[in-house]
Amino acid sequence: MESIQSVKQRFGIIGNNNKLNRALEKSIQVSNSDISVLVTGESGVGKENIPKIIHQYSHRKHAKYIAVNCGAIPDGTIDSELFGHEKGAFTGAAKRKLGRFDAAQKGTIFLDEINTISGTMQIKLLQVLQDRIFQRVGGEHPIEADVRVIAASNSDLQKLCDEGLFRKDLYYRLSVFPLEIPSLQQRSEDIPDWVNYLIEWFNKFPESITSSIKPISRALSGLIS
């Protein structure tokens, strides 16, 4: 197995916190199975690195890796975006459109901000995980879904289940293998590494200081209190 340090270098991950290293180790360990993985953690902790690592070390690495930010897709179009649609399925559907699950066949799909999807989409995603099939909007026949599903949430899905906002059966299907990424506030020993990285970055790209200062201050604000 490739060393954790080389994995971090390959994917641009900064820090040497034990919890972070353990999450990376687990990512590699689970890579060659096809079980669903749920990545949790605050916004900005780098959750998007985990599915990339899992895909690159899996038997699916030669197929496509498709990342979808569910929170950025309007509720009225997410069905078509994920599963595609047939010609004439709705007004403006002039031809068949393949969805993200079509594009990810034999590969991996990463569903970020999974907590934002509607109840209807939760049911359709549950069918994909249970029966390994999906159906295009306006389609009459199910399509086999040979896709590894990895999801991420910055909200507590268990709490959303308790509040009736997220299906428990879907939560259990998604979280077969849960992975939590610690925030920078939880790994303060990594702050010097981040400071050195930012200094080197700004020395190389000084023009990026103005555009970067706001997101950096937001990321570090929790450390000051």
Side-chain angles (χ1 to χ4, degrees), residues 111-157:
L111 302 176
D112 198 5
E113 296 191 30
I114 193 70
N115 50 292
T116 64
I117 65 173
S118 68
T120 300
M121 283 307 303
Q122 290 177 35
I123 294 173
K124 293 188 175 184
L125 184 56
L126 179 64
Q127 183 181 35
V128 174
L129 294 171
Q130 283 185 162
D131 304 325
R132 313 307 299 179
I133 59 172
F134 66 92
Q135 197 162 320
R136 298 190 186 106
V137 179
E140 298 180 357
H141 305 289
I143 301 166
E144 181 182 358
D146 184 5
V147 179
R148 171 80 175 271
V149 177
I150 303 174
S153 173
N154 56 13
S155 298
D156 186 340
L157 288 187

Short mmCIF file of all heavy atoms in Angstrom, two decimals, residues 111-157:
data_model
loop_
_atom_site.label_atom_id
_atom_site.label_comp_id
_atom_site.label_asym_id
_atom_site.label_seq_id
_atom_site.Cartn_x
_atom_site.Cartn_y
_atom_site.Cartn_z
N LEU A 111 -21.47 12.42 -4.90
CA LEU A 111 -22.62 13.29 -4.70
C LEU A 111 -22.35 14.17 -3.48
O LEU A 111 -22.56 13.75 -2.34
CB LEU A 111 -23.89 12.46 -4.50
CG LEU A 111 -24.22 11.50 -5.66
CD1 LEU A 111 -25.44 10.66 -5.31
CD2 LEU A 111 -24.45 12.27 -6.96
N ASP A 112 -21.88 15.38 -3.73
CA ASP A 112 -21.58 16.32 -2.66
C ASP A 112 -22.86 17.04 -2.23
O ASP A 112 -23.80 17.18 -3.02
CB ASP A 112 -20.55 17.34 -3.14
CG ASP A 112 -19.86 18.05 -1.98
OD1 ASP A 112 -20.12 17.69 -0.81
OD2 ASP A 112 -19.06 18.97 -2.25
N GLU A 113 -22.89 17.46 -0.96
CA GLU A 113 -24.06 18.14 -0.38
C GLU A 113 -25.33 17.29 -0.58
O GLU A 113 -26.38 17.78 -0.97
CB GLU A 113 -24.24 19.54 -0.97
CG GLU A 113 -23.08 20.47 -0.64
CD GLU A 113 -23.38 21.92 -1.01
OE1 GLU A 113 -24.56 22.32 -0.97
OE2 GLU A 113 -22.43 22.64 -1.32
N ILE A 114 -25.21 16.00 -0.29
CA ILE A 114 -26.32 15.07 -0.46
C ILE A 114 -27.50 15.45 0.43
O ILE A 114 -28.65 15.10 0.16
CB ILE A 114 -25.85 13.62 -0.17
CG1 ILE A 114 -26.89 12.60 -0.63
CG2 ILE A 114 -25.55 13.44 1.32
CD1 ILE A 114 -27.00 12.49 -2.13
N ASN A 115 -27.23 16.20 1.49
CA ASN A 115 -28.28 16.62 2.42
C ASN A 115 -29.28 17.58 1.79
O ASN A 115 -30.35 17.83 2.36
CB ASN A 115 -27.65 17.29 3.65
CG ASN A 115 -26.64 18.36 3.29
OD1 ASN A 115 -25.57 18.05 2.75
ND2 ASN A 115 -26.95 19.61 3.58
N THR A 116 -28.97 18.13 0.61
CA THR A 116 -29.84 19.13 0.00
C THR A 116 -30.88 18.54 -0.95
O THR A 116 -31.77 19.27 -1.41
CB THR A 116 -29.01 20.16 -0.79
OG1 THR A 116 -28.34 19.49 -1.88
CG2 THR A 116 -27.97 20.83 0.10
N ILE A 117 -30.81 17.25 -1.26
CA ILE A 117 -31.72 16.71 -2.26
C ILE A 117 -33.12 16.52 -1.69
O ILE A 117 -33.31 16.30 -0.49
CB ILE A 117 -31.21 15.39 -2.87
CG1 ILE A 117 -31.16 14.28 -1.81
CG2 ILE A 117 -29.85 15.59 -3.51
CD1 ILE A 117 -30.82 12.90 -2.42
N SER A 118 -34.11 16.61 -2.56
CA SER A 118 -35.51 16.53 -2.15
C SER A 118 -35.91 15.10 -1.77
O SER A 118 -35.18 14.14 -2.05
CB SER A 118 -36.41 17.01 -3.30
OG SER A 118 -36.35 16.08 -4.38
N GLY A 119 -37.08 14.99 -1.19
CA GLY A 119 -37.60 13.68 -0.82
C GLY A 119 -37.78 12.77 -2.02
O GLY A 119 -37.51 11.56 -1.96
N THR A 120 -38.23 13.34 -3.14
CA THR A 120 -38.41 12.56 -4.36
C THR A 120 -37.08 12.00 -4.86
O THR A 120 -36.97 10.83 -5.24
CB THR A 120 -39.06 13.42 -5.46
OG1 THR A 120 -40.33 13.89 -5.01
CG2 THR A 120 -39.24 12.61 -6.74
N MET A 121 -36.05 12.85 -4.85
CA MET A 121 -34.74 12.40 -5.29
C MET A 121 -34.14 11.39 -4.33
O MET A 121 -33.40 10.49 -4.74
CB MET A 121 -33.79 13.59 -5.44
CG MET A 121 -34.03 14.41 -6.69
SD MET A 121 -34.02 13.42 -8.21
CE MET A 121 -32.42 12.65 -8.10
N GLN A 122 -34.47 11.50 -3.06
CA GLN A 122 -33.99 10.53 -2.08
C GLN A 122 -34.53 9.13 -2.42
O GLN A 122 -33.80 8.14 -2.33
CB GLN A 122 -34.41 10.94 -0.67
CG GLN A 122 -33.68 12.17 -0.15
CD GLN A 122 -34.18 12.59 1.22
OE1 GLN A 122 -34.54 11.76 2.04
NE2 GLN A 122 -34.20 13.89 1.46
N ILE A 123 -35.79 9.07 -2.83
CA ILE A 123 -36.39 7.79 -3.20
C ILE A 123 -35.70 7.21 -4.43
O ILE A 123 -35.38 6.01 -4.49
CB ILE A 123 -37.90 7.96 -3.47
CG1 ILE A 123 -38.63 8.34 -2.17
CG2 ILE A 123 -38.49 6.68 -4.07
CD1 ILE A 123 -40.09 8.70 -2.38
N LYS A 124 -35.41 8.05 -5.42
CA LYS A 124 -34.79 7.57 -6.65
C LYS A 124 -33.35 7.12 -6.40
O LYS A 124 -32.89 6.13 -6.98
CB LYS A 124 -34.84 8.66 -7.71
CG LYS A 124 -36.26 8.97 -8.17
CD LYS A 124 -36.30 9.91 -9.35
CE LYS A 124 -37.73 10.08 -9.84
NZ LYS A 124 -37.82 10.92 -11.06
N LEU A 125 -32.65 7.84 -5.54
CA LEU A 125 -31.28 7.45 -5.22
C LEU A 125 -31.28 6.15 -4.41
O LEU A 125 -30.40 5.30 -4.60
CB LEU A 125 -30.59 8.56 -4.45
CG LEU A 125 -29.11 8.33 -4.12
CD1 LEU A 125 -28.31 8.05 -5.37
CD2 LEU A 125 -28.54 9.53 -3.38
N LEU A 126 -32.26 5.98 -3.56
CA LEU A 126 -32.38 4.74 -2.79
C LEU A 126 -32.54 3.55 -3.74
O LEU A 126 -31.95 2.49 -3.51
CB LEU A 126 -33.58 4.83 -1.83
CG LEU A 126 -33.85 3.59 -0.98
CD1 LEU A 126 -32.68 3.32 -0.03
CD2 LEU A 126 -35.15 3.77 -0.19
N GLN A 127 -33.31 3.73 -4.81
CA GLN A 127 -33.49 2.65 -5.78
C GLN A 127 -32.16 2.29 -6.44
O GLN A 127 -31.87 1.11 -6.67
CB GLN A 127 -34.51 3.05 -6.85
CG GLN A 127 -34.78 1.93 -7.85
CD GLN A 127 -35.77 2.34 -8.94
OE1 GLN A 127 -35.78 3.49 -9.38
NE2 GLN A 127 -36.59 1.40 -9.38
N VAL A 128 -31.35 3.29 -6.73
CA VAL A 128 -30.05 3.03 -7.34
C VAL A 128 -29.20 2.18 -6.40
O VAL A 128 -28.55 1.21 -6.82
CB VAL A 128 -29.31 4.35 -7.66
CG1 VAL A 128 -27.90 4.07 -8.14
CG2 VAL A 128 -30.08 5.15 -8.70
N LEU A 129 -29.19 2.53 -5.12
CA LEU A 129 -28.36 1.82 -4.15
C LEU A 129 -28.90 0.43 -3.83
O LEU A 129 -28.13 -0.50 -3.60
CB LEU A 129 -28.24 2.65 -2.87
CG LEU A 129 -27.50 3.99 -3.02
CD1 LEU A 129 -27.63 4.81 -1.75
CD2 LEU A 129 -26.04 3.75 -3.35
N GLN A 130 -30.22 0.28 -3.82
CA GLN A 130 -30.82 -1.01 -3.48
C GLN A 130 -30.81 -1.99 -4.65
O GLN A 130 -30.40 -3.14 -4.51
CB GLN A 130 -32.28 -0.81 -3.02
CG GLN A 130 -32.44 -0.28 -1.61
CD GLN A 130 -33.89 -0.22 -1.20
OE1 GLN A 130 -34.20 -0.15 -0.02
NE2 GLN A 130 -34.80 -0.23 -2.14
N ASP A 131 -31.27 -1.49 -5.81
CA ASP A 131 -31.51 -2.37 -6.95
C ASP A 131 -30.49 -2.24 -8.06
O ASP A 131 -30.52 -2.98 -9.04
CB ASP A 131 -32.91 -2.11 -7.52
CG ASP A 131 -34.00 -2.26 -6.47
OD1 ASP A 131 -33.85 -3.14 -5.60
OD2 ASP A 131 -34.99 -1.50 -6.52
N ARG A 132 -29.57 -1.25 -7.91
CA ARG A 132 -28.53 -0.99 -8.91
C ARG A 132 -29.13 -0.68 -10.27
O ARG A 132 -28.61 -1.07 -11.32
CB ARG A 132 -27.57 -2.18 -9.03
CG ARG A 132 -27.05 -2.74 -7.72
CD ARG A 132 -26.44 -1.69 -6.83
NE ARG A 132 -25.29 -1.02 -7.41
CZ ARG A 132 -24.62 -0.05 -6.81
NH1 ARG A 132 -24.99 0.37 -5.60
NH2 ARG A 132 -23.60 0.51 -7.41
N ILE A 133 -30.23 0.06 -10.29
CA ILE A 133 -30.85 0.50 -11.53
C ILE A 133 -31.30 1.95 -11.39
O ILE A 133 -31.48 2.45 -10.28
CB ILE A 133 -32.06 -0.37 -11.94
CG1 ILE A 133 -33.14 -0.33 -10.84
CG2 ILE A 133 -31.64 -1.79 -12.27
CD1 ILE A 133 -34.44 -0.99 -11.24
N PHE A 134 -31.46 2.62 -12.54
CA PHE A 134 -32.07 3.95 -12.56
C PHE A 134 -32.88 4.07 -13.83
O PHE A 134 -32.81 3.23 -14.73
CB PHE A 134 -31.01 5.05 -12.47
CG PHE A 134 -30.09 5.15 -13.66
CD1 PHE A 134 -30.38 5.99 -14.73
CD2 PHE A 134 -28.92 4.40 -13.72
CE1 PHE A 134 -29.54 6.09 -15.83
CE2 PHE A 134 -28.06 4.49 -14.80
CZ PHE A 134 -28.37 5.33 -15.86
N GLN A 135 -33.68 5.12 -13.92
CA GLN A 135 -34.52 5.33 -15.09
C GLN A 135 -34.46 6.79 -15.50
O GLN A 135 -34.56 7.68 -14.66
CB GLN A 135 -35.97 4.92 -14.76
CG GLN A 135 -36.82 4.70 -16.00
CD GLN A 135 -38.06 3.88 -15.66
OE1 GLN A 135 -37.99 2.92 -14.90
NE2 GLN A 135 -39.19 4.26 -16.24
N ARG A 136 -34.28 7.02 -16.79
CA ARG A 136 -34.27 8.39 -17.29
C ARG A 136 -35.67 9.00 -17.20
O ARG A 136 -36.67 8.28 -17.25
CB ARG A 136 -33.79 8.44 -18.74
CG ARG A 136 -32.36 7.95 -18.93
CD ARG A 136 -31.85 8.25 -20.34
NE ARG A 136 -30.55 7.62 -20.51
CZ ARG A 136 -30.33 6.53 -21.24
NH1 ARG A 136 -31.34 5.97 -21.89
NH2 ARG A 136 -29.12 6.03 -21.34
N VAL A 137 -35.74 10.32 -17.07
CA VAL A 137 -37.03 11.00 -17.07
C VAL A 137 -37.71 10.72 -18.41
O VAL A 137 -37.12 10.94 -19.48
CB VAL A 137 -36.85 12.53 -16.89
CG1 VAL A 137 -38.21 13.23 -16.93
CG2 VAL A 137 -36.13 12.82 -15.59
N GLY A 138 -38.93 10.22 -18.36
CA GLY A 138 -39.64 9.87 -19.58
C GLY A 138 -39.29 8.51 -20.13
O GLY A 138 -39.85 8.08 -21.15
N GLY A 139 -38.38 7.80 -19.48
CA GLY A 139 -37.97 6.48 -19.95
C GLY A 139 -38.92 5.39 -19.50
O GLY A 139 -39.63 5.54 -18.50
N GLU A 140 -38.95 4.30 -20.25
CA GLU A 140 -39.84 3.19 -19.93
C GLU A 140 -39.10 1.98 -19.39
O GLU A 140 -39.72 1.07 -18.83
CB GLU A 140 -40.63 2.78 -21.18
CG GLU A 140 -41.53 3.88 -21.73
CD GLU A 140 -42.29 3.45 -22.96
OE1 GLU A 140 -42.07 2.30 -23.42
OE2 GLU A 140 -43.11 4.24 -23.45
N HIS A 141 -37.78 1.96 -19.55
CA HIS A 141 -37.03 0.78 -19.15
C HIS A 141 -35.92 1.14 -18.17
O HIS A 141 -35.23 2.15 -18.35
CB HIS A 141 -36.42 0.10 -20.38
CG HIS A 141 -37.42 -0.24 -21.44
ND1 HIS A 141 -38.35 -1.25 -21.28
CD2 HIS A 141 -37.66 0.32 -22.66
CE1 HIS A 141 -39.12 -1.31 -22.37
NE2 HIS A 141 -38.71 -0.38 -23.22
N PRO A 142 -35.74 0.31 -17.14
CA PRO A 142 -34.65 0.57 -16.18
C PRO A 142 -33.29 0.32 -16.82
O PRO A 142 -33.16 -0.50 -17.72
CB PRO A 142 -34.94 -0.43 -15.05
CG PRO A 142 -35.71 -1.53 -15.71
CD PRO A 142 -36.52 -0.88 -16.78
N ILE A 143 -32.30 1.04 -16.32
CA ILE A 143 -30.93 0.93 -16.82
C ILE A 143 -30.05 0.48 -15.68
O ILE A 143 -30.14 1.00 -14.55
CB ILE A 143 -30.45 2.30 -17.34
CG1 ILE A 143 -31.36 2.79 -18.47
CG2 ILE A 143 -29.00 2.23 -17.82
CD1 ILE A 143 -31.18 4.25 -18.80
N GLU A 144 -29.20 -0.49 -15.94
CA GLU A 144 -28.30 -0.99 -14.91
C GLU A 144 -27.32 0.11 -14.49
O GLU A 144 -26.77 0.82 -15.34
CB GLU A 144 -27.52 -2.20 -15.40
CG GLU A 144 -26.58 -2.78 -14.35
CD GLU A 144 -25.77 -3.95 -14.86
OE1 GLU A 144 -25.97 -4.35 -16.03
OE2 GLU A 144 -24.92 -4.46 -14.11
N ALA A 145 -27.11 0.26 -13.19
CA ALA A 145 -26.19 1.27 -12.66
C ALA A 145 -24.95 0.58 -12.11
O ALA A 145 -24.91 0.18 -10.94
CB ALA A 145 -26.87 2.09 -11.56
N ASP A 146 -23.95 0.44 -12.96
CA ASP A 146 -22.67 -0.13 -12.52
C ASP A 146 -21.78 1.03 -12.07
O ASP A 146 -20.83 1.41 -12.76
CB ASP A 146 -22.03 -0.92 -13.65
CG ASP A 146 -20.74 -1.62 -13.22
OD1 ASP A 146 -20.41 -1.56 -12.02
OD2 ASP A 146 -20.08 -2.22 -14.09
N VAL A 147 -22.12 1.59 -10.92
CA VAL A 147 -21.49 2.82 -10.46
C VAL A 147 -21.22 2.73 -8.96
O VAL A 147 -22.07 2.28 -8.19
CB VAL A 147 -22.40 4.04 -10.72
CG1 VAL A 147 -21.76 5.33 -10.22
CG2 VAL A 147 -22.73 4.17 -12.19
N ARG A 148 -20.03 3.14 -8.55
CA ARG A 148 -19.71 3.27 -7.12
C ARG A 148 -20.21 4.63 -6.65
O ARG A 148 -19.87 5.66 -7.23
CB ARG A 148 -18.19 3.17 -6.91
CG ARG A 148 -17.68 3.50 -5.48
CD ARG A 148 -17.85 2.32 -4.59
NE ARG A 148 -17.31 2.47 -3.26
CZ ARG A 148 -16.06 2.16 -2.91
NH1 ARG A 148 -15.16 1.79 -3.81
NH2 ARG A 148 -15.69 2.20 -1.65
N VAL A 149 -21.02 4.65 -5.60
CA VAL A 149 -21.59 5.90 -5.09
C VAL A 149 -20.89 6.31 -3.81
O VAL A 149 -20.82 5.55 -2.84
CB VAL A 149 -23.11 5.75 -4.84
CG1 VAL A 149 -23.67 7.05 -4.24
CG2 VAL A 149 -23.84 5.40 -6.13
N ILE A 150 -20.37 7.54 -3.83
CA ILE A 150 -19.78 8.15 -2.64
C ILE A 150 -20.49 9.47 -2.42
O ILE A 150 -20.68 10.24 -3.36
CB ILE A 150 -18.26 8.38 -2.80
CG1 ILE A 150 -17.55 7.07 -3.13
CG2 ILE A 150 -17.67 9.01 -1.54
CD1 ILE A 150 -16.08 7.24 -3.44
N ALA A 151 -20.92 9.73 -1.20
CA ALA A 151 -21.66 10.95 -0.90
C ALA A 151 -20.96 11.73 0.20
O ALA A 151 -20.15 11.18 0.95
CB ALA A 151 -23.09 10.63 -0.49
N ALA A 152 -21.27 13.01 0.28
CA ALA A 152 -20.71 13.85 1.33
C ALA A 152 -21.78 14.81 1.84
O ALA A 152 -22.70 15.20 1.10
CB ALA A 152 -19.50 14.63 0.83
N SER A 153 -21.65 15.17 3.11
CA SER A 153 -22.59 16.10 3.72
C SER A 153 -21.87 16.94 4.77
O SER A 153 -21.03 16.43 5.51
CB SER A 153 -23.75 15.34 4.39
OG SER A 153 -24.58 16.21 5.12
N ASN A 154 -22.20 18.23 4.80
CA ASN A 154 -21.68 19.08 5.87
C ASN A 154 -22.71 19.26 6.98
O ASN A 154 -22.49 20.02 7.92
CB ASN A 154 -21.23 20.45 5.33
CG ASN A 154 -22.34 21.17 4.59
OD1 ASN A 154 -23.50 20.78 4.66
ND2 ASN A 154 -21.98 22.21 3.85
N SER A 155 -23.83 18.56 6.84
CA SER A 155 -24.86 18.54 7.88
C SER A 155 -24.93 17.15 8.50
O SER A 155 -24.52 16.16 7.89
CB SER A 155 -26.24 18.89 7.28
OG SER A 155 -26.25 20.19 6.74
N ASP A 156 -25.47 17.10 9.70
CA ASP A 156 -25.62 15.83 10.41
C ASP A 156 -26.82 15.08 9.84
O ASP A 156 -27.97 15.41 10.15
CB ASP A 156 -25.80 16.11 11.90
CG ASP A 156 -25.83 14.85 12.75
OD1 ASP A 156 -26.09 13.76 12.19
OD2 ASP A 156 -25.62 14.94 13.97
N LEU A 157 -26.57 14.09 9.00
CA LEU A 157 -27.68 13.37 8.37
C LEU A 157 -28.52 12.59 9.38
O LEU A 157 -29.72 12.45 9.20
CB LEU A 157 -27.15 12.42 7.29
CG LEU A 157 -26.63 13.05 5.99
CD1 LEU A 157 -26.32 11.96 4.98
CD2 LEU A 157 -27.62 14.05 5.41
#
